[in-house]
Amino acid sequence: QKEVEQDPGPLSVPEGAIVSLNCTYSNSAFQYFMWYRQYSRKGPELLMYTYSSGNKEDGRFTAQVDKSSKYISLFIRDSQPSDSATYLCAMSRITGGGNKLTFGTGTQLKVEL
Amino acid sequence: DTGVSQNPRHKITKRGQNVTFRCDPISEHNRLYWYRQTLGQGPEFLTYFQNEAQLEKSRLLSDRFSAERPKGSFSTLEIQRTEQGDSAMYLCASSSDTRPYEQYFGPGTRLTVT
């Protein structure tokens, strides 16, 4: 079983919809939770990160972490066709070393006109 | 452009050949990471440098793989005797010591082994 599970989709929504993307994880040592956006054949782009539990908002994006359920979410409000991409969740432990990221498989999102 | 850069962007090689990729991190970042991403999967950690010291290597990094970061600036990843299973996107990321979890990725090098 993978440490981080993410539904690969594809997820198709109409323009203007609220999108909910989710990941579950098994390792309680994870403390930092990131969301990346990746367009086809490009490198991942960091959208936002959250430390421990709670919510964080940045424009149309809201990240939520529920450590008790080992569940994280990314909400996108007023979705646009330009939001069409693969969304990757990633997690990191607090260690004395490198904070390597453990990723989910990514969810492919398509926002249609 | 002050982001992470990687060269080449694409590399096609024949099985058994050696290849080398280069990564230039964000200039003020001390930490540099290599990840590998195959189709339909998220990136997987390969190795990590803090300045010039290679501090962690994944079990994915077989003996055919070697990475260096001379002088703590750019890094190279070399794959010797390439195999078809090495075909993937090789991603480099960098971060600062104060926010090591905040990793910024380059565009990647796509390797195809024929």
Side-chain angles (χ1 to χ4, degrees), chain B residues 78-113:
Chain B
E78 181 183 15
I79 309 174
Q80 296 182 327
R81 304 181 304 281
T82 52
E83 303 173 356
Q84 287 189 321
D86 297 331
S87 295
M89 173 84 94
Y90 289 84
L91 293 161
C92 175
S94 69
S95 70
S96 65
D97 283 338
T98 53
R99 293 184 175 182
Y101 44 86
E102 197 172 324
Q103 296 178 22
Y104 294 90
F105 282 80
T109 294
R110 182 169 297 279
L111 173 66
T112 302
V113 181

PDB file of all heavy atoms in Angstrom, chain B residues 78-113:
ATOM      1  N   GLU B  78      24.010  11.348 -13.471  1.00  0.00           N
ATOM      2  CA  GLU B  78      24.489  10.495 -14.548  1.00  0.00           C
ATOM      3  C   GLU B  78      23.866   9.112 -14.417  1.00  0.00           C
ATOM      4  O   GLU B  78      23.787   8.562 -13.307  1.00  0.00           O
ATOM      5  CB  GLU B  78      26.011  10.363 -14.529  1.00  0.00           C
ATOM      6  CG  GLU B  78      26.547   9.494 -15.666  1.00  0.00           C
ATOM      7  CD  GLU B  78      28.064   9.293 -15.616  1.00  0.00           C
ATOM      8  OE1 GLU B  78      28.677   9.568 -14.576  1.00  0.00           O
ATOM      9  OE2 GLU B  78      28.614   8.836 -16.646  1.00  0.00           O
ATOM     10  N   ILE B  79      23.443   8.566 -15.534  1.00  0.00           N
ATOM     11  CA  ILE B  79      22.958   7.193 -15.586  1.00  0.00           C
ATOM     12  C   ILE B  79      23.883   6.430 -16.521  1.00  0.00           C
ATOM     13  O   ILE B  79      24.047   6.798 -17.690  1.00  0.00           O
ATOM     14  CB  ILE B  79      21.507   7.088 -16.095  1.00  0.00           C
ATOM     15  CG1 ILE B  79      20.583   8.030 -15.325  1.00  0.00           C
ATOM     16  CG2 ILE B  79      21.017   5.646 -15.971  1.00  0.00           C
ATOM     17  CD1 ILE B  79      19.155   8.074 -15.874  1.00  0.00           C
ATOM     18  N   GLN B  80      24.500   5.391 -15.996  1.00  0.00           N
ATOM     19  CA  GLN B  80      25.379   4.561 -16.820  1.00  0.00           C
ATOM     20  C   GLN B  80      24.618   3.334 -17.328  1.00  0.00           C
ATOM     21  O   GLN B  80      23.705   2.841 -16.659  1.00  0.00           O
ATOM     22  CB  GLN B  80      26.589   4.118 -15.994  1.00  0.00           C
ATOM     23  CG  GLN B  80      27.474   5.279 -15.551  1.00  0.00           C
ATOM     24  CD  GLN B  80      28.689   4.811 -14.780  1.00  0.00           C
ATOM     25  OE1 GLN B  80      28.640   3.823 -14.055  1.00  0.00           O
ATOM     26  NE2 GLN B  80      29.802   5.507 -14.946  1.00  0.00           N
ATOM     27  N   ARG B  81      25.015   2.876 -18.522  1.00  0.00           N
ATOM     28  CA  ARG B  81      24.438   1.648 -19.092  1.00  0.00           C
ATOM     29  C   ARG B  81      22.905   1.701 -19.021  1.00  0.00           C
ATOM     30  O   ARG B  81      22.263   0.849 -18.399  1.00  0.00           O
ATOM     31  CB  ARG B  81      24.971   0.414 -18.362  1.00  0.00           C
ATOM     32  CG  ARG B  81      26.492   0.341 -18.361  1.00  0.00           C
ATOM     33  CD  ARG B  81      27.002  -0.919 -17.639  1.00  0.00           C
ATOM     34  NE  ARG B  81      26.519  -1.032 -16.277  1.00  0.00           N
ATOM     35  CZ  ARG B  81      27.007  -0.373 -15.241  1.00  0.00           C
ATOM     36  NH1 ARG B  81      27.991   0.486 -15.410  1.00  0.00           N
ATOM     37  NH2 ARG B  81      26.500  -0.556 -14.033  1.00  0.00           N
ATOM     38  N   THR B  82      22.345   2.698 -19.657  1.00  0.00           N
ATOM     39  CA  THR B  82      20.901   2.914 -19.554  1.00  0.00           C
ATOM     40  C   THR B  82      20.100   1.692 -19.974  1.00  0.00           C
ATOM     41  O   THR B  82      20.505   0.927 -20.860  1.00  0.00           O
ATOM     42  CB  THR B  82      20.461   4.112 -20.409  1.00  0.00           C
ATOM     43  OG1 THR B  82      20.947   3.950 -21.750  1.00  0.00           O
ATOM     44  CG2 THR B  82      20.954   5.416 -19.827  1.00  0.00           C
ATOM     45  N   GLU B  83      18.957   1.535 -19.336  1.00  0.00           N
ATOM     46  CA  GLU B  83      18.002   0.455 -19.620  1.00  0.00           C
ATOM     47  C   GLU B  83      16.669   1.097 -19.992  1.00  0.00           C
ATOM     48  O   GLU B  83      16.407   2.249 -19.652  1.00  0.00           O
ATOM     49  CB  GLU B  83      17.831  -0.428 -18.385  1.00  0.00           C
ATOM     50  CG  GLU B  83      19.123  -1.034 -17.881  1.00  0.00           C
ATOM     51  CD  GLU B  83      18.949  -1.766 -16.556  1.00  0.00           C
ATOM     52  OE1 GLU B  83      17.831  -1.721 -15.996  1.00  0.00           O
ATOM     53  OE2 GLU B  83      19.941  -2.381 -16.100  1.00  0.00           O
ATOM     54  N   GLN B  84      15.819   0.320 -20.668  1.00  0.00           N
ATOM     55  CA  GLN B  84      14.533   0.873 -21.089  1.00  0.00           C
ATOM     56  C   GLN B  84      13.704   1.313 -19.891  1.00  0.00           C
ATOM     57  O   GLN B  84      12.946   2.294 -19.968  1.00  0.00           O
ATOM     58  CB  GLN B  84      13.771  -0.142 -21.949  1.00  0.00           C
ATOM     59  CG  GLN B  84      14.365  -0.293 -23.341  1.00  0.00           C
ATOM     60  CD  GLN B  84      13.494  -1.128 -24.254  1.00  0.00           C
ATOM     61  OE1 GLN B  84      12.919  -2.121 -23.838  1.00  0.00           O
ATOM     62  NE2 GLN B  84      13.420  -0.732 -25.518  1.00  0.00           N
ATOM     63  N   GLY B  85      13.861   0.662 -18.779  1.00  0.00           N
ATOM     64  CA  GLY B  85      13.136   1.042 -17.565  1.00  0.00           C
ATOM     65  C   GLY B  85      13.565   2.377 -16.988  1.00  0.00           C
ATOM     66  O   GLY B  85      12.904   2.897 -16.084  1.00  0.00           O
ATOM     67  N   ASP B  86      14.659   2.942 -17.493  1.00  0.00           N
ATOM     68  CA  ASP B  86      15.099   4.262 -17.029  1.00  0.00           C
ATOM     69  C   ASP B  86      14.325   5.389 -17.711  1.00  0.00           C
ATOM     70  O   ASP B  86      14.446   6.552 -17.315  1.00  0.00           O
ATOM     71  CB  ASP B  86      16.590   4.452 -17.306  1.00  0.00           C
ATOM     72  CG  ASP B  86      17.467   3.471 -16.563  1.00  0.00           C
ATOM     73  OD1 ASP B  86      17.065   3.026 -15.466  1.00  0.00           O
ATOM     74  OD2 ASP B  86      18.556   3.133 -17.074  1.00  0.00           O
ATOM     75  N   SER B  87      13.558   5.064 -18.736  1.00  0.00           N
ATOM     76  CA  SER B  87      12.770   6.082 -19.438  1.00  0.00           C
ATOM     77  C   SER B  87      11.796   6.721 -18.465  1.00  0.00           C
ATOM     78  O   SER B  87      10.976   6.033 -17.841  1.00  0.00           O
ATOM     79  CB  SER B  87      12.008   5.454 -20.602  1.00  0.00           C
ATOM     80  OG  SER B  87      12.891   4.961 -21.575  1.00  0.00           O
ATOM     81  N   ALA B  88      11.892   8.031 -18.317  1.00  0.00           N
ATOM     82  CA  ALA B  88      11.095   8.752 -17.336  1.00  0.00           C
ATOM     83  C   ALA B  88      11.393  10.238 -17.481  1.00  0.00           C
ATOM     84  O   ALA B  88      12.257  10.643 -18.259  1.00  0.00           O
ATOM     85  CB  ALA B  88      11.433   8.308 -15.908  1.00  0.00           C
ATOM     86  N   MET B  89      10.679  11.046 -16.680  1.00  0.00           N
ATOM     87  CA  MET B  89      11.004  12.460 -16.552  1.00  0.00           C
ATOM     88  C   MET B  89      11.853  12.598 -15.285  1.00  0.00           C
ATOM     89  O   MET B  89      11.449  12.135 -14.211  1.00  0.00           O
ATOM     90  CB  MET B  89       9.729  13.294 -16.400  1.00  0.00           C
ATOM     91  CG  MET B  89       9.969  14.748 -16.086  1.00  0.00           C
ATOM     92  SD  MET B  89      10.288  15.701 -17.573  1.00  0.00           S
ATOM     93  CE  MET B  89       8.632  16.274 -17.901  1.00  0.00           C
ATOM     94  N   TYR B  90      13.012  13.219 -15.409  1.00  0.00           N
ATOM     95  CA  TYR B  90      13.882  13.439 -14.265  1.00  0.00           C
ATOM     96  C   TYR B  90      13.749  14.906 -13.849  1.00  0.00           C
ATOM     97  O   TYR B  90      14.036  15.823 -14.614  1.00  0.00           O
ATOM     98  CB  TYR B  90      15.324  13.060 -14.599  1.00  0.00           C
ATOM     99  CG  TYR B  90      15.456  11.558 -14.728  1.00  0.00           C
ATOM    100  CD1 TYR B  90      15.149  10.916 -15.928  1.00  0.00           C
ATOM    101  CD2 TYR B  90      15.814  10.764 -13.637  1.00  0.00           C
ATOM    102  CE1 TYR B  90      15.202   9.535 -16.039  1.00  0.00           C
ATOM    103  CE2 TYR B  90      15.875   9.382 -13.741  1.00  0.00           C
ATOM    104  CZ  TYR B  90      15.560   8.783 -14.936  1.00  0.00           C
ATOM    105  OH  TYR B  90      15.610   7.414 -15.042  1.00  0.00           O
ATOM    106  N   LEU B  91      13.286  15.080 -12.631  1.00  0.00           N
ATOM    107  CA  LEU B  91      12.970  16.413 -12.118  1.00  0.00           C
ATOM    108  C   LEU B  91      13.961  16.830 -11.043  1.00  0.00           C
ATOM    109  O   LEU B  91      14.350  16.026 -10.201  1.00  0.00           O
ATOM    110  CB  LEU B  91      11.565  16.416 -11.508  1.00  0.00           C
ATOM    111  CG  LEU B  91      10.398  16.213 -12.486  1.00  0.00           C
ATOM    112  CD1 LEU B  91       9.153  15.775 -11.738  1.00  0.00           C
ATOM    113  CD2 LEU B  91      10.145  17.483 -13.262  1.00  0.00           C
ATOM    114  N   CYS B  92      14.326  18.075 -11.087  1.00  0.00           N
ATOM    115  CA  CYS B  92      15.192  18.659 -10.072  1.00  0.00           C
ATOM    116  C   CYS B  92      14.383  19.710  -9.310  1.00  0.00           C
ATOM    117  O   CYS B  92      13.545  20.408  -9.902  1.00  0.00           O
ATOM    118  CB  CYS B  92      16.401  19.303 -10.745  1.00  0.00           C
ATOM    119  SG  CYS B  92      17.499  20.178  -9.630  1.00  0.00           S
ATOM    120  N   ALA B  93      14.602  19.807  -8.022  1.00  0.00           N
ATOM    121  CA  ALA B  93      13.933  20.818  -7.203  1.00  0.00           C
ATOM    122  C   ALA B  93      14.952  21.424  -6.252  1.00  0.00           C
ATOM    123  O   ALA B  93      15.974  20.808  -5.935  1.00  0.00           O
ATOM    124  CB  ALA B  93      12.778  20.199  -6.421  1.00  0.00           C
ATOM    125  N   SER B  94      14.667  22.632  -5.807  1.00  0.00           N
ATOM    126  CA  SER B  94      15.554  23.247  -4.810  1.00  0.00           C
ATOM    127  C   SER B  94      14.723  23.934  -3.728  1.00  0.00           C
ATOM    128  O   SER B  94      13.542  24.253  -3.935  1.00  0.00           O
ATOM    129  CB  SER B  94      16.519  24.244  -5.458  1.00  0.00           C
ATOM    130  OG  SER B  94      15.842  25.390  -5.936  1.00  0.00           O
ATOM    131  N   SER B  95      15.352  24.106  -2.578  1.00  0.00           N
ATOM    132  CA  SER B  95      14.684  24.784  -1.462  1.00  0.00           C
ATOM    133  C   SER B  95      15.733  25.435  -0.572  1.00  0.00           C
ATOM    134  O   SER B  95      16.932  25.163  -0.679  1.00  0.00           O
ATOM    135  CB  SER B  95      13.844  23.786  -0.650  1.00  0.00           C
ATOM    136  OG  SER B  95      14.675  22.893   0.058  1.00  0.00           O
ATOM    137  N   SER B  96      15.269  26.282   0.317  1.00  0.00           N
ATOM    138  CA  SER B  96      16.171  26.942   1.252  1.00  0.00           C
ATOM    139  C   SER B  96      16.287  26.108   2.530  1.00  0.00           C
ATOM    140  O   SER B  96      15.466  25.217   2.782  1.00  0.00           O
ATOM    141  CB  SER B  96      15.647  28.340   1.597  1.00  0.00           C
ATOM    142  OG  SER B  96      14.418  28.230   2.305  1.00  0.00           O
ATOM    143  N   ASP B  97      17.271  26.421   3.341  1.00  0.00           N
ATOM    144  CA  ASP B  97      17.425  25.749   4.633  1.00  0.00           C
ATOM    145  C   ASP B  97      16.280  26.109   5.579  1.00  0.00           C
ATOM    146  O   ASP B  97      15.881  25.301   6.413  1.00  0.00           O
ATOM    147  CB  ASP B  97      18.753  26.152   5.292  1.00  0.00           C
ATOM    148  CG  ASP B  97      19.934  25.431   4.663  1.00  0.00           C
ATOM    149  OD1 ASP B  97      19.712  24.360   4.055  1.00  0.00           O
ATOM    150  OD2 ASP B  97      21.058  25.941   4.778  1.00  0.00           O
ATOM    151  N   THR B  98      15.756  27.319   5.464  1.00  0.00           N
ATOM    152  CA  THR B  98      14.718  27.762   6.398  1.00  0.00           C
ATOM    153  C   THR B  98      13.352  27.191   6.051  1.00  0.00           C
ATOM    154  O   THR B  98      12.499  27.061   6.931  1.00  0.00           O
ATOM    155  CB  THR B  98      14.633  29.288   6.423  1.00  0.00           C
ATOM    156  OG1 THR B  98      14.477  29.764   5.079  1.00  0.00           O
ATOM    157  CG2 THR B  98      15.900  29.889   7.036  1.00  0.00           C
ATOM    158  N   ARG B  99      13.135  26.862   4.790  1.00  0.00           N
ATOM    159  CA  ARG B  99      11.854  26.264   4.353  1.00  0.00           C
ATOM    160  C   ARG B  99      12.140  25.073   3.449  1.00  0.00           C
ATOM    161  O   ARG B  99      11.822  25.107   2.244  1.00  0.00           O
ATOM    162  CB  ARG B  99      11.003  27.287   3.633  1.00  0.00           C
ATOM    163  CG  ARG B  99      10.501  28.407   4.530  1.00  0.00           C
ATOM    164  CD  ARG B  99       9.592  29.338   3.768  1.00  0.00           C
ATOM    165  NE  ARG B  99       9.007  30.347   4.652  1.00  0.00           N
ATOM    166  CZ  ARG B  99       8.138  31.263   4.254  1.00  0.00           C
ATOM    167  NH1 ARG B  99       7.739  31.282   3.000  1.00  0.00           N
ATOM    168  NH2 ARG B  99       7.669  32.130   5.106  1.00  0.00           N
ATOM    169  N   PRO B 100      12.708  24.009   3.985  1.00  0.00           N
ATOM    170  CA  PRO B 100      13.123  22.883   3.132  1.00  0.00           C
ATOM    171  C   PRO B 100      11.969  22.152   2.467  1.00  0.00           C
ATOM    172  O   PRO B 100      12.153  21.525   1.416  1.00  0.00           O
ATOM    173  CB  PRO B 100      13.865  21.967   4.115  1.00  0.00           C
ATOM    174  CG  PRO B 100      13.331  22.328   5.460  1.00  0.00           C
ATOM    175  CD  PRO B 100      13.037  23.800   5.401  1.00  0.00           C
ATOM    176  N   TYR B 101      10.774  22.228   3.040  1.00  0.00           N
ATOM    177  CA  TYR B 101       9.609  21.562   2.467  1.00  0.00           C
ATOM    178  C   TYR B 101       9.055  22.332   1.269  1.00  0.00           C
ATOM    179  O   TYR B 101       8.295  21.797   0.476  1.00  0.00           O
ATOM    180  CB  TYR B 101       8.516  21.427   3.537  1.00  0.00           C
ATOM    181  CG  TYR B 101       8.360  22.712   4.326  1.00  0.00           C
ATOM    182  CD1 TYR B 101       7.543  23.734   3.880  1.00  0.00           C
ATOM    183  CD2 TYR B 101       9.088  22.911   5.499  1.00  0.00           C
ATOM    184  CE1 TYR B 101       7.454  24.922   4.574  1.00  0.00           C
ATOM    185  CE2 TYR B 101       9.005  24.098   6.199  1.00  0.00           C
ATOM    186  CZ  TYR B 101       8.176  25.105   5.730  1.00  0.00           C
ATOM    187  OH  TYR B 101       8.090  26.282   6.408  1.00  0.00           O
ATOM    188  N   GLU B 102       9.409  23.595   1.128  1.00  0.00           N
ATOM    189  CA  GLU B 102       8.902  24.445   0.052  1.00  0.00           C
ATOM    190  C   GLU B 102       9.829  24.272  -1.151  1.00  0.00           C
ATOM    191  O   GLU B 102      10.750  25.062  -1.378  1.00  0.00           O
ATOM    192  CB  GLU B 102       8.874  25.897   0.533  1.00  0.00           C
ATOM    193  CG  GLU B 102       8.016  26.820  -0.279  1.00  0.00           C
ATOM    194  CD  GLU B 102       7.897  28.199   0.376  1.00  0.00           C
ATOM    195  OE1 GLU B 102       7.840  28.277   1.621  1.00  0.00           O
ATOM    196  OE2 GLU B 102       7.884  29.179  -0.372  1.00  0.00           O
ATOM    197  N   GLN B 103       9.572  23.235  -1.915  1.00  0.00           N
ATOM    198  CA  GLN B 103      10.477  22.858  -3.001  1.00  0.00           C
ATOM    199  C   GLN B 103       9.933  23.337  -4.339  1.00  0.00           C
ATOM    200  O   GLN B 103       8.762  23.123  -4.661  1.00  0.00           O
ATOM    201  CB  GLN B 103      10.683  21.340  -3.004  1.00  0.00           C
ATOM    202  CG  GLN B 103      11.381  20.875  -1.728  1.00  0.00           C
ATOM    203  CD  GLN B 103      11.568  19.378  -1.652  1.00  0.00           C
ATOM    204  OE1 GLN B 103      11.561  18.681  -2.663  1.00  0.00           O
ATOM    205  NE2 GLN B 103      11.742  18.885  -0.440  1.00  0.00           N
ATOM    206  N   TYR B 104      10.810  23.945  -5.115  1.00  0.00           N
ATOM    207  CA  TYR B 104      10.453  24.483  -6.427  1.00  0.00           C
ATOM    208  C   TYR B 104      11.127  23.630  -7.491  1.00  0.00           C
ATOM    209  O   TYR B 104      12.340  23.387  -7.429  1.00  0.00           O
ATOM    210  CB  TYR B 104      10.882  25.947  -6.524  1.00  0.00           C
ATOM    211  CG  TYR B 104      10.099  26.815  -5.580  1.00  0.00           C
ATOM    212  CD1 TYR B 104      10.557  27.039  -4.283  1.00  0.00           C
ATOM    213  CD2 TYR B 104       8.876  27.358  -5.948  1.00  0.00           C
ATOM    214  CE1 TYR B 104       9.817  27.805  -3.388  1.00  0.00           C
ATOM    215  CE2 TYR B 104       8.131  28.132  -5.063  1.00  0.00           C
ATOM    216  CZ  TYR B 104       8.608  28.345  -3.788  1.00  0.00           C
ATOM    217  OH  TYR B 104       7.874  29.096  -2.900  1.00  0.00           O
ATOM    218  N   PHE B 105      10.320  23.205  -8.436  1.00  0.00           N
ATOM    219  CA  PHE B 105      10.787  22.262  -9.443  1.00  0.00           C
ATOM    220  C   PHE B 105      11.189  22.949 -10.739  1.00  0.00           C
ATOM    221  O   PHE B 105      10.638  23.992 -11.115  1.00  0.00           O
ATOM    222  CB  PHE B 105       9.687  21.239  -9.758  1.00  0.00           C
ATOM    223  CG  PHE B 105       9.558  20.167  -8.714  1.00  0.00           C
ATOM    224  CD1 PHE B 105       8.866  20.401  -7.538  1.00  0.00           C
ATOM    225  CD2 PHE B 105      10.129  18.916  -8.908  1.00  0.00           C
ATOM    226  CE1 PHE B 105       8.747  19.416  -6.567  1.00  0.00           C
ATOM    227  CE2 PHE B 105      10.012  17.924  -7.942  1.00  0.00           C
ATOM    228  CZ  PHE B 105       9.329  18.181  -6.777  1.00  0.00           C
ATOM    229  N   GLY B 106      12.125  22.318 -11.425  1.00  0.00           N
ATOM    230  CA  GLY B 106      12.473  22.711 -12.768  1.00  0.00           C
ATOM    231  C   GLY B 106      11.541  22.067 -13.775  1.00  0.00           C
ATOM    232  O   GLY B 106      10.634  21.315 -13.393  1.00  0.00           O
ATOM    233  N   PRO B 107      11.771  22.325 -15.060  1.00  0.00           N
ATOM    234  CA  PRO B 107      10.892  21.784 -16.106  1.00  0.00           C
ATOM    235  C   PRO B 107      11.100  20.307 -16.380  1.00  0.00           C
ATOM    236  O   PRO B 107      10.279  19.681 -17.047  1.00  0.00           O
ATOM    237  CB  PRO B 107      11.255  22.624 -17.336  1.00  0.00           C
ATOM    238  CG  PRO B 107      12.664  23.023 -17.088  1.00  0.00           C
ATOM    239  CD  PRO B 107      12.791  23.205 -15.614  1.00  0.00           C
ATOM    240  N   GLY B 108      12.193  19.757 -15.879  1.00  0.00           N
ATOM    241  CA  GLY B 108      12.448  18.338 -16.060  1.00  0.00           C
ATOM    242  C   GLY B 108      13.235  18.019 -17.322  1.00  0.00           C
ATOM    243  O   GLY B 108      13.286  18.804 -18.273  1.00  0.00           O
ATOM    244  N   THR B 109      13.864  16.854 -17.301  1.00  0.00           N
ATOM    245  CA  THR B 109      14.514  16.277 -18.486  1.00  0.00           C
ATOM    246  C   THR B 109      13.790  14.974 -18.802  1.00  0.00           C
ATOM    247  O   THR B 109      13.748  14.071 -17.962  1.00  0.00           O
ATOM    248  CB  THR B 109      16.004  15.986 -18.241  1.00  0.00           C
ATOM    249  OG1 THR B 109      16.705  17.211 -18.038  1.00  0.00           O
ATOM    250  CG2 THR B 109      16.601  15.247 -19.436  1.00  0.00           C
ATOM    251  N   ARG B 110      13.234  14.914 -20.000  1.00  0.00           N
ATOM    252  CA  ARG B 110      12.522  13.687 -20.400  1.00  0.00           C
ATOM    253  C   ARG B 110      13.505  12.757 -21.088  1.00  0.00           C
ATOM    254  O   ARG B 110      14.062  13.101 -22.126  1.00  0.00           O
ATOM    255  CB  ARG B 110      11.356  14.020 -21.326  1.00  0.00           C
ATOM    256  CG  ARG B 110      10.547  12.797 -21.743  1.00  0.00           C
ATOM    257  CD  ARG B 110       9.264  13.199 -22.426  1.00  0.00           C
ATOM    258  NE  ARG B 110       8.377  13.947 -21.552  1.00  0.00           N
ATOM    259  CZ  ARG B 110       7.572  13.403 -20.652  1.00  0.00           C
ATOM    260  NH1 ARG B 110       7.526  12.086 -20.516  1.00  0.00           N
ATOM    261  NH2 ARG B 110       6.804  14.158 -19.895  1.00  0.00           N
ATOM    262  N   LEU B 111      13.709  11.581 -20.524  1.00  0.00           N
ATOM    263  CA  LEU B 111      14.643  10.595 -21.072  1.00  0.00           C
ATOM    264  C   LEU B 111      13.870   9.468 -21.734  1.00  0.00           C
ATOM    265  O   LEU B 111      12.972   8.893 -21.121  1.00  0.00           O
ATOM    266  CB  LEU B 111      15.530  10.015 -19.969  1.00  0.00           C
ATOM    267  CG  LEU B 111      16.436   8.847 -20.377  1.00  0.00           C
ATOM    268  CD1 LEU B 111      17.491   9.308 -21.375  1.00  0.00           C
ATOM    269  CD2 LEU B 111      17.076   8.198 -19.157  1.00  0.00           C
ATOM    270  N   THR B 112      14.233   9.174 -22.956  1.00  0.00           N
ATOM    271  CA  THR B 112      13.690   8.017 -23.675  1.00  0.00           C
ATOM    272  C   THR B 112      14.843   7.098 -24.031  1.00  0.00           C
ATOM    273  O   THR B 112      15.791   7.519 -24.704  1.00  0.00           O
ATOM    274  CB  THR B 112      12.945   8.445 -24.945  1.00  0.00           C
ATOM    275  OG1 THR B 112      11.890   9.348 -24.597  1.00  0.00           O
ATOM    276  CG2 THR B 112      12.357   7.227 -25.652  1.00  0.00           C
ATOM    277  N   VAL B 113      14.765   5.859 -23.573  1.00  0.00           N
ATOM    278  CA  VAL B 113      15.791   4.860 -23.878  1.00  0.00           C
ATOM    279  C   VAL B 113      15.208   3.874 -24.886  1.00  0.00           C
ATOM    280  O   VAL B 113      14.183   3.228 -24.612  1.00  0.00           O
ATOM    281  CB  VAL B 113      16.247   4.114 -22.612  1.00  0.00           C
ATOM    282  CG1 VAL B 113      17.342   3.106 -22.962  1.00  0.00           C
ATOM    283  CG2 VAL B 113      16.741   5.102 -21.560  1.00  0.00           C
TER     284      VAL B 113
END
